[in-house]
Amino acid sequence: MEIGIDSFASAMYGNKTLSSVDAMEQLMDRIVHADEVGLDVFGIGEHHKKAFLDSSTAVILAAVAGRTKRIRLTSAVSVLSTADPVRVYQDFATLDLVSKGRAEMVVGRGSSIEAYPLFGFNLDDYDALFKEKLELLLKIRDNEFVTWSGKFRPALNNLPVYPRALQSKLPVWLGVGGTPESFVRAGRLGLPLMVAIIGGNTARFRPLIDMYREAGAKAGFSPAELKVGLHSPGFVASTDEKAIEEYYPGYAELWTKLGRERGWPPVTRSHFDSQAGPQGVLVVGGPERVAEKLLRHSEALGGIDRFTFQMDNAGLSHQQLMSSIELIGKKVMPLVSGS
């Protein structure tokens, strides 16, 4: 199982707002540290909100590519529905060259909608936009010269797209939430699947992942091609008690705020405890507890190939995040790989 971190480049850490320059510097230091302690992948999301600095994902990843050696650098996710697939491919192909073959992307429709009005797209076209643009992105990835036509973008008539990525087939993961059609789409296309599970019981996604694998098998793809990744909130400290003590206040603050925006009830300690329990989605604790939970999640989902911690949390300082990254690399990963 590959293990990594996803970040939204938040400027809120340690219950204070950092300057954008300081927040970006600390983020890049965390990516470098993740590389140094052996993590497999680091992902940057895409938002267009004041609290986040991740509107230009490939720029951040390219800036840190020269400071890292082996860690894979990916989006988490790129909001493909509101982007030009030509430019998305060019950005990540350039990142692939800069990083000497370590670039990937996770593409999706986005769980936040601010990009749609910002770039002049209609939310009524939510699924149609993504379907068409994913088709074009994959065609560009697989062909130097492209002939294509669609509804939302001018046609391409045997036009070349440069630069080409160093990797012969730049990895494109499909980021999904809980829509069955998205799981089946990923299977039919033979794309690796990144499942964002941010609440509830992780095992409830097993039927959807089974649908993905069945669709992929029917389309002629091998089990090795049908990779499954899991993205969930998490945090590691030296002990279970310390992890919960450090993580809970910021988690409650953040998710209560999101709840006000999206109609969810406020976070309570009992709710948190259930989510941090054996079957819940939160991967929070000391190294042993976290490793056990990752293995339990993998078993419940029929095996997972990648897990990424989402650790952006208003209550956590840069130092706490650096410590968590080190524990993941030096403690959690050996426990998972040795089991």
Side-chain angles (χ1 to χ4, degrees), residues 37-155:
V37 300
L39 271 66
D40 296 301
V41 60
F42 205 107
I44 302 294
E46 179 188 339
H47 296 81
H48 302 272
K49 295 181 177 181
K50 186 176 181 180
F52 304 111
L53 303 173
D54 60 346
S55 63
S56 298
T57 303
V59 174
I60 297 173
L61 296 174
V64 80
R67 296 176 57 191
T68 56
K69 296 179 180 178
R70 56 168 299 278
I71 196 167
R72 298 193 68 78
L73 303 169
T74 184
S75 58
V77 304
S78 296
V79 185
L80 186 61
S81 302
T82 62
D84 183 343
V86 174
R87 176 56 76 187
V88 171
Y89 177 81
Q90 290 175 322
D91 285 347
F92 281 86
T94 302
L95 172 63
D96 203 44
L97 297 175
V98 172
S99 66
K100 298 181 174 63
R102 292 184 284 127
E104 300 186 2
M105 66 179 90
V106 181
V107 299
R109 294 174 294 185
S111 59
S112 300
I113 63 172
E114 71 274 0
Y116 289 82
L118 183 63
F119 295 109
F121 292 99
N122 192 329
L123 273 170
D124 291 341
D125 299 321
Y126 187 74
D127 193 60
L129 278 164
F130 182 71
K131 182 179 180 181
E132 178 177 298
K133 293 190 176 190
L134 178 61
E135 173 192 311
L136 176 54
L137 176 66
L138 295 177
K139 194 159 192 176
I140 294 168
R141 180 192 67 173
D142 297 338
N143 300 276
E144 183 176 343
F145 286 80
V146 180
T147 296
W148 174 91
S149 64
K151 177 181 177 182
F152 300 104
R153 189 201 186 281

Side-chain angles (χ1 to χ4, degrees), residues 223-250:
E225 294 175 285
L226 300 172
K227 295 182 179 180
V228 174
L230 177 60
H231 157 108
S232 290
F235 178 69
V236 185
S238 57
T239 67
D240 296 345
E241 295 77 16
K242 185 177 181 183
I244 292 171
E245 178 186 349
E246 293 181 357
Y247 188 80
Y248 173 70

